[in-house]
Amino acid sequence: MARGARTAALAAALGLVLAGCSAGEGVDLAGAGEVDTEGYLEVAIAGEPDQLDPHSTSAYFSFQILENVYDTLVEPDADLEMQPALAESWEVSEDQLSWTFHLREGVTFHDGSAFTAEDVVYSYDRIIDEQLANAYRLAAVEDVVAVDEHTVRIDVSQPTPALLAAIGGYKGMAIVERGNVESGDVQLDPVGTGPFEVVGNAASTAVTLRANEDYWGGGPHVPGVVYRFISEGTTALADLTAGEVHWTDSIPPQRVESLRRNPDVEVASVPSTDYWYLTMNQARPPFDSRDARRAVAQALDREALAQVTWYGSATVNQTAVPETSVWYHEYAPFEQDLDRARELAESSGLAGRTVGLMVTNEYPETVTAAQVVAANLDEIGVATEIRTLDFATWLDEQARGNFDMLLLGWLGNVDVNDYYYNQHHSEGSNNAQGYTSPEVDRLLDAGRTETDPEARKELYDRAAERIVDDASYVYLYNPDVVQAWAPELEGYEPRPDRAVRFKDVRLEEGTG
């Protein structure tokens, strides 16, 4: 989700997407009520998309839909390795400054128009020129050139080892159709090249997709998908067990274990690439003091936080990258030590203060976690005033710097750069906390251009240690991806990046 202070941080999502990307008001497409959805896959997601323009939205709920509507040049497989998509192959010049992509021939958009190299040029130029949510991903790009109808060259200013992850990590970098964008229809009625097309969009209710039988990767096995917006997890599970929906990820963590014992439901979980964190506003006293931030880091009981929010479906971690990743670095200097936390709170002027903690009711785990944080800080003489906001207001307050502390998470990271650069570089678009470290800047800049994997990992390991030591973010845990579906749904697999793909699923005959 990512990532502008207001929304850029949220898209990455998936490359990155922030957990809890904003939900807005839905809209109706003409004729939405006329779609025959017999036999369609019925899906319950936990929130409503704000819009369906992949380059402009930062809402995870939007990308749960757009994952099935759009394509990127490359895309991550289940192991998060980049594979061909709209580009069949590619090569890099000897000096690492030019990437040439050979595009699939015969691909069409949902409106029947042909996909060509010009669509790639238009899509990337739009993101860069309009400084849309993911412009930072293309920061090293100097030019995007249509060599011929089916060949694109991307010229970069410096070696960019994470370019494939940047352009393919998630659908915020999708290839769009120019006419659809220039008409404005892309916000509500997007036209992609993906396995499904949008045919209905009912305000605050549902989005309906129909199978694209001409999809270059082969037509889907289900005739369509209906996304329903059910924020209450208990309601979504009731609908699942009653046969009203076939799939949901709107699952209260405390219900996971009992759900696993239900023979009428399939439940699966995989370690995610997500992380959850607390951060403090370094433009405001007392959190302009490193010791004040470290006092908070030293006071927190991460095990309790993980348990009350995820009920065993999360792994405590003091860095961002989960232990399942090749980029993982074991570093944990802040085991809970209340005596040391009190000393730091006293010396920094934090003790005796009341500080605000901003959370959002659209991500109830932040509300729950805030209670534990408040109890922990109370033990070191710090009072906490919890501010529970709707997510749109939360985003506005973050963008204005109107917070002392906040809780949230990032979703769908792929490359190690996704975890650290935009959040902690002094010029990072998502550095809402106002962190500045010349050493971290140097390490992160070097990591973006280092092509040797081992040397690159060493740079990010060192940056991570400094980020943790300075408590730019106080990292809490990596949650699992937990999803549930009806037994008649076959072929679905949860992914660590939370990309929800329905192209290859089937419904047993007679369901729907």
Side-chain angles (χ1 to χ4, degrees):
M1 198 191 8
R3 280 178 108 56
R6 171 179 165 89
T7 57
L10 306 176
L14 285 169
L16 24 158
V17 188
L18 178 61
C21 299
S22 58
E25 295 186 3
V27 287
D28 289 301
L29 296 180
E34 301 172 5
V35 179
D36 180 4
T37 60
E38 183 178 356
Y40 278 33
L41 177 68
E42 301 277 350
V43 167
I45 61 176
E48 181 183 355
D50 63 338
Q51 60 170 303
L52 297 177
D53 179 349
H55 295 169
S56 297
T57 184
S58 61
Y60 175 60
F61 304 130
S62 296
F63 285 111
Q64 287 185 286
I65 298 167
L66 296 176
E67 181 69 32
N68 294 283
V69 174
Y70 280 102
D71 291 312
T72 44
L73 289 191
V74 296
E75 66 179 11
D77 61 18
D79 297 320
L80 304 186
E81 297 292 332
M82 290 299 158
Q83 302 297 334
L86 289 176
E88 289 186 303
S89 62
W90 56 89
E91 62 261 2
V92 187
S93 63
E94 187 173 347
D95 62 4
Q96 302 284 312
L97 298 181
S98 290
W99 294 66
T100 302
F101 295 86
H102 304 282
L103 309 181
R104 294 183 188 276
E105 299 186 21
V107 176
T108 59
F109 285 96
H110 298 146
D111 63 359
S113 60
F115 159 72
T116 71
E118 292 295 343
D119 296 302
V120 180
V121 174
Y122 173 76
S123 297
Y124 293 165
D125 281 353
R126 180 191 185 217
I127 293 170
I128 295 169
D129 294 346
E130 298 182 25
Q131 283 296 291
L132 299 179
N134 295 289
Y136 80 94
R137 293 176 178 269
L138 301 175
V141 173
E142 293 195 325
D143 203 3
V144 184
V145 180
V147 178
D148 58 40
E149 192 172 12
H150 298 294
T151 310
V152 169
R153 189 184 73 244
I154 299 177
D155 297 328
V156 291
S157 59
Q158 58 193 16
T160 309
L163 183 66
L164 292 181
I167 65 173
Y170 87 122
K171 295 304 187 287
M173 300 300 294
I175 306 305
V176 298
E177 200 272 330
R178 184 171 191 155
N180 183 239
V181 172
E182 293 182 343
S183 70
D185 291 343
V186 66
Q187 291 189 352
L188 313 177
D189 188 13
V191 172
T193 60
F196 295 90
E197 62 177 313
V198 175
V199 293
N201 190 343
S204 304
T205 305
V207 169
T208 302
L209 310 183
R210 182 170 58 209
N212 174 13
E213 300 300 338
D214 297 322
Y215 184 56
W216 58 264
H221 303 301
V222 293
V225 184
V226 178
Y227 288 82
R228 305 198 182 280
F229 317 135
I230 304 177
S231 59
E232 288 294 330
T234 53
T235 303
L237 291 184
D239 286 353
L240 178 66
T241 55
E244 298 295 322
V245 300
H246 301 108
W247 179 98
T248 189
D249 65 348
S250 184
I251 305 171
Q254 63 269 32
R255 294 287 302 278
V256 172
E257 285 307 311
S258 63
L259 201 61
R260 292 185 193 279
R261 296 191 292 270
N262 186 335
D264 297 323
V265 175
E266 299 287 338
V267 182
S269 61
V270 295
S272 77
T273 60
D274 311 344
Y275 66 85
W276 287 75
Y277 67 95
L278 179 148
T279 195
M280 293 152 275
N281 189 344
Q282 297 179 36
R284 288 183 175 183
F287 295 125
D288 55 344
S289 163
R290 178 175 181 260
D291 279 354
R293 303 193 301 272
R294 289 169 66 91
V296 174
Q298 202 80 68
L300 295 186
D301 184 343
R302 289 170 176 78
E303 293 289 351
L305 282 161
Q307 183 59 35
V308 302
T309 54
W310 293 94
Y311 290 82
S313 296
T315 303
V316 168
N317 189 3
Q318 292 193 39
T319 64
V321 183
E323 60 186 21
T324 53
S325 170
V326 296
W327 300 107
Y328 174 68
H329 177 55
E330 186 173 0
Y331 189 65
F334 292 122
E335 299 301 331
Q336 187 184 39
D337 184 336
L338 295 176
D339 289 338
R340 177 57 178 155
R342 289 187 193 98
E343 292 174 5
L344 291 167
E346 289 286 346
S347 65
S348 65
L350 174 61
R353 286 180 176 256
T354 298
V355 296
L357 175 56
M358 191 168 72
V359 296
T360 172
N361 53 16
E362 292 184 38
Y363 293 86
E365 53 267 58
T366 65
V367 179
T368 305
Q371 304 298 323
V372 177
V373 171
N376 290 162
L377 295 185
D378 184 63
E379 293 190 75
I380 65 169
V382 179
T384 306
E385 180 181 299
I386 300 171
R387 300 170 63 206
T388 304
L389 309 173
D390 65 84
F391 195 59
T393 304
W394 189 102
L395 285 170
D396 286 337
E397 293 289 87
Q398 178 192 235
R400 288 197 292 262
N402 188 22
F403 66 94
D404 292 328
M405 304 187 295
L406 60 81
L407 278 164
L408 207 61
W410 281 81
L411 302 182
N413 306 285
V414 176
D415 184 76
V416 64
N417 182 68
D418 297 337
Y419 288 90
Y420 295 118
Y421 188 92
N422 284 285
Q423 301 91 329
H424 306 287
H425 193 283
S426 61
E427 297 181 358
S429 59
N430 307 129
N431 187 352
Q433 71 276 20
Y435 175 63
T436 300
S437 165
E439 179 187 0
V440 169
D441 283 358
R442 179 181 61 79
L443 292 166
L444 294 178
D445 286 337
R448 297 184 101 184
T449 62
E450 178 56 64
T451 57
D452 178 78
E454 291 187 8
R456 190 166 184 247
K457 184 176 186 304
E458 175 62 23
L459 290 167
Y460 282 102
D461 288 351
R462 289 162 57 196
E465 290 187 5
R466 181 59 184 267
I467 290 164
V468 171
D469 287 345
D470 288 345
S472 175
Y473 277 9
V474 177
Y475 296 104
L476 304 174
Y477 48 74
N478 304 111
D480 292 343
V481 177
V482 183
Q483 298 167 349
W485 57 90
E488 59 264 30
L489 175 61
E490 298 180 344
Y492 180 78
E493 294 290 339
R495 295 169 50 91
D497 60 357
R498 293 187 189 271
V500 178
R501 297 180 182 175
F502 293 125
K503 174 189 173 295
D504 296 321
V505 305
R506 299 176 185 270
L507 284 173
E508 289 185 355
E509 191 173 348
T511 66

